[in-house]
């Protein structure tokens, strides 16, 4: 969680570049693969925030969400929830991994009208594949899959607070 200059809470999301891979072009939360030098998955989460969005200091971990297995990539995602203590932090997108950093306002997360049910086009080598799935709509972005599942759980947890 982050606070902007107007004291509005938001979540920083990343838009991935298009590439030949399972998560091409998707919107995701900052995160990545555990490295033995991290010691813990909590440290991995903090390191990945730094690597992907340029935030290292001032992250206070306040909890965890349910672990989630991603069959297409074989990863077990262990979501941590944190607060960036610096107001309106400066984000620096990783040039290799992050095409864009998106501010997902908590008011949009909690708005039941932001959840849609429709088609998502998955890029492929020969031709695209369309699947029908629920997603969070954020302007031109569709936040779906594991990210949407994590955000939906987060929404349920924080709804009484906001």
């Amino acid at each position: 969680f982050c606070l902007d200059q107007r004291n509005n809470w938001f979540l920083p999301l990343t838009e991935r570049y298009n590439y030949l891979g399972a998560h091409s072009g998707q919107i995701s939360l900052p995160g990545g693969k555990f490295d033995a030098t991290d010691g813990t998955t909590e440290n991995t989460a903090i390191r990945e925030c730094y690597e992907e969005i340029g935030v290292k200091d001032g992250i206070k971990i306040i909890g965890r969400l349910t672990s989630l297995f991603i069959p297409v990539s074989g990863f077990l995602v262990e979501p941590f929830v944190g607060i960036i203590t610096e107001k309106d932090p400066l984000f620096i997108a990783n040039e290799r991994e992050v095409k864009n950093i998106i501010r997902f306002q908590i008011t949009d997360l909690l708005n039941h009208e932001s959840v849609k049910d429709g088609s998502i086009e998955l890029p492929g080598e020969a031709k695209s594949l369309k699947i029908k799935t629920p997603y969070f709509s954020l302007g031109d972005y569709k936040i779906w899959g594991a990210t949407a599942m994590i955000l939906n759980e987060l929404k349920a947890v924080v709804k009484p607070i906001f």
Side-chain angles (χ1 to χ4, degrees):
F1 290 96
C2 303
L3 266 178
D4 66 16
Q5 288 294 348
R6 296 187 176 123
N7 291 323
N8 296 312
W9 289 101
F10 70 93
L11 300 168
L13 302 177
T14 63
E15 177 184 11
R16 297 175 189 267
Y17 283 106
N18 290 321
Y19 60 92
L20 291 177
H23 303 292
S24 173
Q26 291 181 6
I27 307 303
S28 63
L29 293 154
K33 202 173 190 180
F34 174 78
D35 185 302
T37 60
D38 294 334
T40 67
T41 53
E42 181 175 325
N43 290 338
T44 300
I46 293 168
R47 175 182 53 78
E48 287 288 345
C49 275
Y50 176 63
E51 288 180 8
E52 292 188 7
I53 64 174
V55 175
K56 183 178 185 179
D57 299 321
I59 299 175
K60 180 180 179 185
I61 300 295
I62 59 171
R64 291 182 70 148
L65 298 174
T66 306
S67 297
L68 178 67
F69 180 71
I70 314 298
V72 70
S73 58
F75 285 109
L76 177 66
V77 177
E78 297 186 37
F80 286 88
V81 179
I83 295 176
I84 297 176
T85 56
E86 177 186 350
K87 192 174 195 175
D88 205 20
L90 173 66
F91 297 118
I92 301 168
N94 180 301
E95 293 177 6
R96 240 187 33 202
E97 296 181 39
V98 179
K99 180 178 179 182
N100 191 21
I101 297 173
I102 304 158
R103 293 176 178 227
F104 189 27
Q105 299 293 324
I106 298 302
T107 53
D108 291 331
L109 174 70
L110 298 177
N111 182 351
H112 71 278
E113 292 181 16
S114 69
V115 177
K116 310 283 185 194
D117 193 27
S119 294
I120 302 290
E121 192 168 325
L122 304 175
E125 291 181 35
K127 62 179 181 176
S128 294
L129 172 69
K130 285 188 178 183
I131 61 168
K132 187 173 167 111
T133 186
Y135 62 89
F136 284 91
S137 178
L138 180 61
D140 293 334
Y141 299 110
K142 293 180 178 180
I143 306 165
W144 64 283
T147 302
M149 287 189 266
I150 293 165
L151 289 174
N152 200 48
E153 181 180 2
L154 182 63
K155 177 180 179 175
V157 170
V158 302
K159 193 172 186 172
I161 300 167
F162 289 98

